[in-house]
Amino acid sequence: MNVTVRQLAEWVRGEVLGDPELTISNARTLGEAQPGDITFVENGKNLSAWHSSKASAAIVPVSVPVNGRPIIRVSDPLMAFASIVRQLRARPSEAPGGVSPAAHIHPSAKLAPGVTVGPLAVIGEGVEVGANSTICAGATVGRFCKIGSDTTIHPRVVLYDECVVGSRVILHAGVVVGADGFGYRTAHGRHIKVPQLGWVEIEDDVEIGANSTIDRGTFGPTRIGAGTKIDNLVQVGHNCQIGKHNLFCSQVGVAGSAATGDHVVLAGQSGVSDHVTLGARVAVGAQSGVPSDVPDDQHVFGSPATPVHEQIRMHFSLRRLPDLRAEVKEIKKRLDAGSGKNGN
């Protein structure tokens, strides 16, 4: 597709500086862009890369100066660029897939208009699927699950019985929702399974990455709040109550019965102990372990996790340990000399 810079600016409601009639054929990042491409500059740190780039034009923040090539000024260059990429690389819309004859759907299941079901998908007894949702090939939806509208269940996702999934939810390949929580009692030297009789509720606009797992509650729901985004390979244990608009990065683990407030961020490979509560807007640094409750608006780091300013102080103290050790040895040497321990 060939379009002018002026047309691109209209797509993203940006301001053109430079030649608006320049023709653009593709959109690529700064390092990959070639003549005829448009790229983007997210902030001032990328200016040198923009100056050396081969791109013919760029989408830039409002503060970026002109350097002779056309630019489109917008408030959010990344999202504007994403919009342009989507339109330049647009493929013909697929016709609604309908229900594959190779899918297995229980006669009691209720599928709203516009639902697509791929081959080898399994939809169990009493399931309800909302309008325009997609159940991709090989996915399994257990008995009495409820799925909202415009939700996408990707291949090989498994929803155990009685799970509830909201509208505009995306579950990526391999996600498992509603497996038994890890609950056991030890009696007479044996681990006895505690029955897991609850379910999982995933609210609207949640996205869960590939191969992540959300365990069902013991007696009530494990809940994922609206707007929360979960990366690949994340584990959320049974009875957890996850707030709205949380961000969980890859390999995060949240142990059973933990709770988070709204807008919590857990960086990669961090872990939260069971029965711990994180307040609203808490941020946990990468590879941190959180053993106890954290109040609202705290940024914590380390294992055990403590406020960032404490970790910084400890870090600088650790860096000084070799010098402190040398000073202590010198002081000890002088004390020993003064007390005659050297044989004088």
Side-chain angles (χ1 to χ4, degrees):
M1 178 186 295
N2 291 323
V3 295
T4 66
V5 172
R6 184 195 304 278
Q7 289 173 295
L8 296 178
E10 290 172 354
W11 290 356
V12 297
R13 299 181 181 180
E15 175 193 12
V16 178
L17 296 177
D19 182 6
E21 304 307 322
L22 180 71
T23 299
I24 297 297
S25 58
N26 203 352
R28 284 185 272 204
T29 57
L30 280 165
E32 299 292 329
Q34 299 296 318
D37 294 345
I38 189 167
T39 188
F40 78 104
V41 178
E42 190 164 10
N43 52 53
K45 295 178 181 179
N46 305 127
L47 281 179
S48 60
W50 160 233
H51 293 317
S52 61
S53 172
K54 298 177 182 179
S56 296
I59 305 164
V60 303
V62 293
S63 59
V64 168
V66 179
N67 74 343
R69 287 174 284 180
I71 58 174
I72 301 173
R73 284 179 170 171
V74 296
S75 59
D76 191 338
L78 173 62
M79 296 307 293
F81 184 73
S83 176
I84 286 175
V85 169
R86 187 178 294 114
Q87 295 190 65
L88 286 177
R89 301 179 187 174
R91 298 173 181 172
S93 298
E94 293 184 5
V99 176
S100 169
H104 177 80
I105 302 174
H106 194 277
S108 65
K110 297 178 181 179
L111 308 184
V115 169
T116 297
V117 182
L120 303 183
V122 177
I123 297 179
E125 177 187 358
V127 168
E128 298 178 13
V129 182
N132 303 313
S133 286
T134 298
I135 313 297
C136 292
T140 299
V141 180
R143 299 183 310 150
F144 305 110
C145 287
K146 295 182 179 180
I147 298 171
S149 59
D150 299 296
T151 285
T152 300
I153 309 295
H154 280 285
R156 298 183 304 283
V157 167
V158 176
L159 300 181
Y160 280 62
D161 294 351
E162 301 177 332
C163 291
V164 179
V165 178
S167 295
R168 300 174 302 281
V169 171
I170 301 172
L171 303 181
H172 287 281
V175 165
V176 178
V177 176
D180 282 359
F182 194 68
Y184 296 89
R185 296 285 189 185
T186 302
H188 308 294
R190 299 177 59 197
H191 301 304
I192 309 300
K193 186 179 181 70
V194 176
Q196 302 296 297
L197 306 175
W199 63 96
V200 174
E201 294 180 3
I202 297 174
E203 297 181 355
D204 295 346
D205 301 301
V206 169
E207 183 167 0
I208 300 179
N211 295 321
S212 290
T213 59
I214 316 294
D215 289 347
R216 69 176 51 247
T218 305
F219 300 113
T222 298
R223 183 175 289 109
I224 309 296
T228 287
K229 313 299 182 184
I230 295 176
D231 199 356
N232 303 333
L233 300 170
V234 170
Q235 157 75 10
V236 177
H238 61 181
N239 303 323
C240 287
Q241 303 296 306
I242 305 303
K244 301 178 188 298
H245 306 292
N246 282 203
L247 292 174
F248 292 0
C249 299
S250 183
Q251 299 183 28
V252 157
V254 184
S257 300
T260 66
D262 297 341
H263 298 281
V264 168
V265 177
L266 301 182
Q269 297 186 331
S270 60
V272 179
S273 294
D274 58 297
H275 299 273
V276 163
T277 296
L278 306 183
R281 299 170 300 281
V282 165
V284 178
Q287 297 186 326
S288 297
V290 185
S292 56
D293 293 354
V294 179
D296 293 352
D297 300 302
Q298 289 284 315
H299 290 195
V300 297
F301 182 72
S303 187
T306 57
V308 170
H309 66 273
E310 293 183 13
Q311 288 290 333
I312 291 173
R313 187 165 60 247
M314 287 189 286
H315 173 73
F316 282 109
S317 295
L318 286 171
R319 290 180 61 183
R320 292 190 59 220
L321 278 179
D323 293 338
L324 290 172
R325 185 170 181 270
E327 291 175 10
V328 169
K329 288 179 66 176
E330 180 63 25
I331 291 171
K332 185 175 183 298
K333 180 179 178 181
R334 293 179 182 181
L335 289 173
D336 287 347
S339 63
K341 290 184 178 180
N342 289 336
N344 294 330

